[in-house]
């Protein structure tokens, strides 16, 4: 956790920030039920930004962690022979199927790389159960919120609940760049439920 200060410049005890995090996680509301933003507002501006951006990036990092490269390679090494043999078996049984013949023509090195890449793209877990701590990102700079959330949407947009949590948290930020993000999602996000949620958030802001 970053060291933060009250608005008068005095240091905030670490235990207080830990308590905020625990309360936020328990509330499970990315807007902090209106309470957490009040607490964050008691900090000086630099502390609001530093804590907010730390929480935002840490939550995203935890949600998107995947297997290590070593784990992905071990997974591929343990399955490449079986996958190669399976393609060869299919190819002998169905010589007219062009897709099967194309798979059978792949060298083991290519199959290994495909298996490694597929494993590396898996998610180890999820941070959705702790979405409430995103309420502490309310003081983050808008361009940071915009960049982090659009990056998440671009790379992990299929995780609807997480996208909705990030957009909800962004709607509590007064910075125009954060509000612009919510508007963008409300206008053209591909998942209708998330788009509708963003629309509701814009109405609330208005």
């Amino acid at each position: 956790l970053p060291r933060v200060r009250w608005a008068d410049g005095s240091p905030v005890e670490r235990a207080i920030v830990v308590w905020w995090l625990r309360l936020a996680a328990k509330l499970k509301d990315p807007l902090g039920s209106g309470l957490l933003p009040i607490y964050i507002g008691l900090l000086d501006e630099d502390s609001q930004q530093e804590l907010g951006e730390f929480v935002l990036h840490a939550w995203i990092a935890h949600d998107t962690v995947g297997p290590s490269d070593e784990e992905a390679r071990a997974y591929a090494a343990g399955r490449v022979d079986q996958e190669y043999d399976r393609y060869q078996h299919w190819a002998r049984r169905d010589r007219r199927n062009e897709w099967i013949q194309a798979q059978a023509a792949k060298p083991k090195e290519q199959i290994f790389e495909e298996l490694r890449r597929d494993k590396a793209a898996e998610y180890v877990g999820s941070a959705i159960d702790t979405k409430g701590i995103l309420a502490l990102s309310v003081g983050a700079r808008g361009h940071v919120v915009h960049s982090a959330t659009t990056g998440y949407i671009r790379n992990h947009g299929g995780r609807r609940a997480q996208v909705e949590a990030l957009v909800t948290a962004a709607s509590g930020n007064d910075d125009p760049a954060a509000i612009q993000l919510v508007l963008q999602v409300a206008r053209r996000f591909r998942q209708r439920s998330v788009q509708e949620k963003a629309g509701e958030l814009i109405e609330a802001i208005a």
Side-chain angles (χ1 to χ4, degrees), residues 51-86:
L51 179 61
E53 291 164 20
F54 171 83
V55 169
L56 178 63
H57 290 306
W59 190 87
I60 290 175
H62 180 65
D63 186 72
T64 56
V65 68
S68 66
D69 185 62
E70 181 179 340
E71 291 170 330
R73 289 184 175 278
Y75 171 86
R79 287 162 177 77
V80 62
D81 289 340
Q82 179 182 351
E83 196 76 356
Y84 178 83
D85 291 343
R86 185 159 61 93

Side-chain angles (χ1 to χ4, degrees), residues 66-162:
S68 66
D69 185 62
E70 181 179 340
E71 291 170 330
R73 289 184 175 278
Y75 171 86
R79 287 162 177 77
V80 62
D81 289 340
Q82 179 182 351
E83 196 76 356
Y84 178 83
D85 291 343
R86 185 159 61 93
Y87 288 151
Q88 300 305 312
H89 176 71
W90 286 353
R92 288 192 296 271
R93 294 187 61 179
D94 190 351
R95 298 185 181 280
R96 296 183 180 180
N97 188 307
E98 293 181 2
W99 182 85
I100 289 178
Q101 294 302 318
Q103 299 304 306
K106 292 178 180 179
K108 284 189 178 182
E109 291 79 7
Q110 183 178 348
I111 296 173
F112 175 91
E113 181 57 25
E114 290 174 354
L115 289 167
R116 185 203 63 78
R117 188 169 58 245
D118 289 346
K119 185 64 177 179
E122 293 180 0
Y123 299 106
V124 170
S126 168
I128 195 60
D129 286 344
T130 58
K131 65 182 180 180
I133 72 169
L134 290 172
L136 274 69
S137 70
V138 67
R141 290 170 293 177
H143 72 88
V144 174
V145 174
H146 191 288
S147 175
T149 305
T150 53
Y152 185 96
I153 290 171
R154 181 173 58 252
N155 298 315
H156 313 281
R159 309 195 94 177
R160 181 197 58 78
Q162 284 89 329

Side-chain angles (χ1 to χ4, degrees), residues 5-47:
R5 297 172 298 278
W6 298 115
D8 65 3
S10 60
V12 179
E13 292 183 28
R14 182 179 183 276
I16 293 175
V17 182
V18 171
W19 184 84
W20 288 353
L21 284 164
R22 290 180 175 175
L23 175 62
K26 186 175 181 179
L27 290 173
K28 296 185 182 297
D29 178 7
L31 289 175
S33 301
L35 183 63
L36 272 301
I38 294 175
Y39 294 161
I40 298 300
L42 299 174
L43 306 177
D44 67 21
E45 186 175 346
D46 288 345
S47 294

